[in-house]
Amino acid sequence: MSGKPGGRVPDHEEPSTGRVRLGVDVGGTFTDLVAVDRDGALRFAKVPSVPADPSSGVLAAVAAAALAGPEVGAFAHGTTVATNALLERAGARTALVTTRGFRDVIEIGRQNRPSLYDLTRDRPPSLVPRELRFTVAERCGPDGVIEPLLAAEVERVVAEVAAVPGLEAVAVCLLFSFAHPGHERILADALRRRLPAVTVVASSEILPVFREYERFTTAAADAYLTPRLSSYLRQLERRCAGHGLTVPAIMQSSGGVAELSEAASHAARCVLSGPAGGVVGAAYIAGLSGVRDLLTFDMGGTSTDVAPVLGGQALTTSESVLAGVPVMLPAVDVHSVSAGGGSIAWVDGGGALRVGPRSAGADPGPACYGRGGTRPTVTDADLYLGYLADGAGLGGELILSRAAAEAALRDLGQPLGLTPEQTAAGVVAVADAEMTRALRVVSVERGIDPRELVLVAFGGAGGTHACALADELGITRVLVPLAAGVLSALGLAIGDVRRDHARPLLGRLGAVDLAGAFAELVAGTEPPRSGPDAAPAPASGPEPAGQVTLQRRVDCRYVGQSHELTIDVDEGVAASRVAEAVRTAFEAEHLRRYGHIAPEREIETVAVRLVVTVGGPRPVPVAPPADPSARRGHRRAWTDGEWHRIDVIPRAALGAGEVVTGPAVVEFAESTCLVRRGWAGMVDEVGTLVLTHGGTA
């Protein structure tokens, strides 16, 4: 299913190639595409994903958008291949080489437990089983080498690793290698010479910072995931070449894209590839509507992803834990829950209605898809309750069947003595509760009051549930963008090319040379390129497409604290006042996150970071005029505990300034928005439907 709302790009931002720029996001249920045309107009497409071969979904989306290879100038891709491999423990057979005596660091971990009061619950299994962990006689300390690494020891451990049958990857993780990487480099180089077909990752290459447990797990995850992601990306590259398409760039967890070869070399940087694109797209579109403080709400077919955006910038973290594995690389601060449109509803042993974590996925999909699915999902409940249209087309290939949804809901509800509408309403309520908890995690638990923010709803099902979630959180404004159903793909199309660099710098604030540390990082980097549109002219601050931006950050904490906060350092601050500026920013963030500060305590730095970005294109969509042929209608829908006849309005029937009053359903090309009673909406100049609670929009 595709459409083509109008849009434009200012003259100074028009791609130099005059060709289309693509963003393609492969989700668990659908593959979404957004194309930014040479005149700035946007084209959308949505097709079912192909779990067995995600690259087929990519090419199907390109075909659905009626694009030929020569038309495409730049191409960015978001993928869940690395994410799924980690969740399903389906990565490569991986070995670990570490300092003698520290073989079990990645299994011992920290003292925190997955569930504090459940003594029977264990951590997920380690990515590297104990029999594949090898030790080497060597030792470095804070001041340098304590025990040298001998050539005979290198030869011995390399031979032991090479003898492992079916080995696909090796992680080399030695003590204090973040400060003294020499021994790691020797071992890694020797392994690469002996095992040229095996992925070898040195922890000092992927994460040169202290804390051996997190550094070891991150390196192990990178080694474990890289062969799987690399294989998929190389296959995608070949298939794109066969169709005349340019080599795609890949969205990283940080919210910036990287060249395919970079992503294929270090998969751990892409474990949140898909969700990051959605946050980038939501932040940009909300900014065009004058909103800079928001919560993103991306409800797709398999999961729901939520994230905070403050001051127009997505919050990032270096403390992600994915499937029980700490991955300490920069990532958009996204929280995901298994409550998507395809999440399966079921009854637990205590007779309670539950939703997820299992999903019907793309194949067979919800019962209403008619592809063999028999168990009810959130989509089935939404369809039965009248939020979706019986017989509607979805993804260009699927026709929704309300009768099939009703049959599945009846089978689920009968043992509980529930009617189909009671069952459907219960499924929606349970899913809404799960998603509300997720939004609280990224707002209330981060020291952010959700009542002061705007909810930006997207994904195929985001608009359907947005008003209910906003009511629960006390949020009074909701934005549903014109490209809501494919917003993650738009985020990919406009994403900046990004590289992250870090180095340790442990010492008291004021005593360490921050300016010198940043200068060393800058000197050791070269600007990433975004393909044919890149321009290497350096700049600072937000810039048009093609400009290079350097963002300086420092990790710091009060002396005695265990963990640190990452603080931005303004390039314009004089070297003599950097320490003062860092302290002011640190205490402001500490107060927001933890509710207190300690002005009498000293602050110490832990690491410095440099983020180098090349700006992507910045299309400015314009609300298309109302289509006079778009026909409005009515439909029975379940609202406020009973059936009502409500307005059904095609999104194409709404031009800028037009108003919608709830209860009503607004049907977008790739998604649906349920405007609940008490809410009203108005289309703004960029085509976003702005919903307001309690009065006219």
Side-chain angles (χ1 to χ4, degrees):
M1 175 177 306
S2 63
K4 185 177 179 181
R8 61 179 175 81
V9 174
D11 293 340
H12 68 281
E13 297 178 13
E14 187 170 342
S16 59
T17 60
R19 291 184 289 173
V20 171
R21 187 179 181 103
L22 288 187
V24 182
D25 176 45
V26 177
T29 305
F30 289 101
T31 294
D32 301 334
L33 176 147
V34 169
V36 182
D37 288 348
R38 66 192 70 185
D39 61 356
L42 305 179
R43 277 188 276 176
F44 313 146
K46 181 184 284 285
V47 300
S49 293
V50 184
D53 181 10
S55 63
S56 295
V58 173
L59 297 175
V62 173
L67 289 168
E71 294 180 78
V72 178
F75 176 12
H77 174 45
T79 174
T80 57
V81 169
T83 315
N84 293 340
L86 191 59
L87 291 172
E88 298 166 8
R89 290 299 194 268
R93 182 168 167 81
T94 303
L96 174 73
V97 177
T98 189
T99 303
R100 184 173 56 190
F102 292 84
R103 178 183 187 184
D104 298 320
V105 163
I106 64 170
E107 192 161 354
I108 295 170
R110 299 287 180 190
Q111 66 178 353
N112 55 310
R113 299 195 297 272
S115 182
L116 185 60
Y117 300 107
D118 186 353
L119 301 182
T120 66
R121 185 175 175 185
D122 204 355
R123 291 186 177 91
S126 170
L127 300 180
V128 184
R130 198 169 195 272
E131 64 271 17
L132 295 183
R133 302 177 208 153
F134 302 88
T135 63
V136 60
E138 67 83 41
R139 188 69 177 265
C140 289
D143 299 321
V145 176
I146 297 174
E147 179 181 357
L149 176 63
L150 302 179
E153 189 70 359
V154 174
E155 185 177 348
R156 176 193 64 79
V157 75
V158 168
E160 289 180 2
V161 172
V164 175
L167 189 67
E168 298 173 88
V170 184
V172 183
C173 308
L174 306 181
L175 290 188
F176 285 94
S177 63
F178 65 90
H180 307 288
H183 289 180
E184 267 196 5
R185 289 173 181 165
I186 291 171
L187 280 167
D189 289 346
L191 286 163
R192 286 164 180 153
R193 287 193 299 269
R194 180 70 177 271
L195 303 168
V198 171
T199 297
V200 178
V201 174
S203 71
S204 55
E205 295 172 349
I206 185 72
L207 187 65
V209 297
F210 86 128
R211 290 199 180 97
E212 67 274 10
Y213 169 60
E214 288 80 5
R215 180 162 49 85
F216 285 17
T217 59
T218 300
D222 195 50
Y224 181 79
L225 298 173
T226 292
R228 296 291 179 267
L229 182 63
S230 178
S231 175
Y232 163 68
L233 292 180
R234 295 304 182 188
Q235 179 191 26
L236 176 64
E237 182 180 20
R238 289 191 296 272
R239 297 198 67 180
C240 287
H243 286 73
L245 292 168
T246 186
V247 177
I250 308 302
M251 176 60 76
Q252 304 173 93
S253 304
S254 61
V257 298
E259 294 177 0
L260 184 143
S261 58
E262 291 183 48
S265 299
H266 291 294
R269 293 174 178 159
C270 301
V271 290
L272 289 175
S273 174
V279 178
V280 171
Y284 180 67
I285 290 296
L288 297 179
S289 296
V291 174
R292 294 178 57 80
D293 298 320
L294 56 127
L295 291 173
T296 70
F297 168 47
D298 178 6
M299 185 178 179
T302 305
S303 64
T304 291
D305 305 309
V306 297
V309 174
L310 299 180
Q313 298 294 319
L315 299 189
T316 58
T317 180
S318 296
E319 299 181 357
S320 300
V321 179
L322 304 166
V325 180
V327 179
M328 302 290 102
L329 296 171
V332 173
D333 191 8
V334 172
H335 181 64
S336 300
V337 292
S338 300
S343 295
I344 295 173
W346 54 287
V347 178
D348 67 15
L353 190 62
R354 306 285 295 275
V355 174
R358 290 189 59 191
S359 172
D363 187 14
C368 62
Y369 282 11
R371 302 178 67 173
T374 59
R375 304 185 66 183
T377 66
V378 177
T379 296
D380 292 302
D382 286 341
L383 174 61
Y384 181 78
L385 295 176
Y387 309 151
L388 306 176
D390 185 23
L394 196 63
E397 299 180 16
L398 305 173
I399 302 298
L400 301 185
S401 168
R402 187 174 185 272
E406 181 178 1
L409 290 164
R410 180 178 290 109
D411 290 343
L412 177 68
Q414 274 183 341
L416 302 177
L418 300 177
T419 64
E421 54 261 29
Q422 289 172 327
T423 304
V427 169
V428 169
V430 172
D432 285 351
E434 184 71 15
M435 293 183 290
T436 300
R437 281 194 292 270
L439 287 165
R440 286 197 174 104
V441 167
V442 297
S443 57
V444 177
E445 294 185 18
R446 303 285 196 274
I448 302 168
D449 187 346
R451 295 170 299 182
E452 298 176 356
L453 305 181
V454 174
L455 186 66
V456 180
F458 56 103
T464 308
H465 296 257
C467 289
L469 271 57
D471 283 338
E472 194 67 28
L473 292 167
I475 295 173
T476 58
R477 289 180 70 200
V478 172
L479 304 186
V480 186
L482 182 62
V486 293
L487 198 66
S488 292
L490 176 61
L492 296 171
I494 67 171
D496 298 336
V497 179
R498 172 170 170 155
R499 285 182 184 163
D500 289 84
H501 307 271
R503 56 157 289 187
L505 185 68
L506 188 60
R508 300 296 172 95
L509 184 64
V512 296
D513 183 8
L514 278 173
F518 283 128
E520 288 183 18
L521 277 179
V522 172
T525 65
E526 55 181 67
R529 293 192 61 82
S530 60
D533 301 334
S540 61
E543 295 291 340
Q547 292 289 346
V548 177
T549 303
L550 306 179
Q551 187 175 20
R552 296 160 173 81
R553 293 176 167 174
V554 57
D555 295 351
C556 49
R557 62 190 181 186
Y558 285 124
V559 173
Q561 284 185 321
S562 298
H563 291 273
E564 56 278 351
L565 296 173
T566 300
I567 304 301
D568 287 340
V569 179
D570 191 341
E571 185 184 17
V573 177
S576 60
R577 301 195 61 186
V578 168
E580 178 185 347
V582 168
R583 180 170 196 111
T584 299
F586 169 80
E587 292 192 328
E589 180 64 11
H590 198 281
L591 181 64
R592 184 185 70 80
R593 289 289 297 270
Y594 306 119
H596 69 93
I597 58 173
E600 73 285 356
R601 294 179 64 178
E602 286 194 83
I603 295 174
E604 64 180 357
T605 64
V606 173
V608 289
R609 302 177 184 272
L610 182 70
V611 181
V612 186
T613 58
V614 177
R618 293 295 183 262
V620 181
V622 174
D627 181 356
S629 67
R631 300 181 61 183
R632 304 185 183 217
H634 299 86
R635 187 163 66 231
R636 287 177 74 245
W638 182 270
T639 62
D640 304 314
E642 57 185 352
W643 292 102
H644 293 276
R645 181 176 168 85
I646 68 173
D647 293 333
V648 178
I649 307 168
R651 174 62 188 83
L654 299 173
E658 297 203 43
V659 173
V660 176
T661 302
V665 168
V666 180
E667 295 183 333
F668 290 64
E670 299 83 16
S671 61
T672 300
C673 176
L674 174 63
V675 184
R676 290 187 174 269
R677 189 178 303 278
W679 288 81
M682 183 178 70
V683 177
D684 69 11
E685 293 182 354
V686 296
T688 296
L689 180 61
V690 181
L691 302 175
T692 305
H693 185 270
T696 58

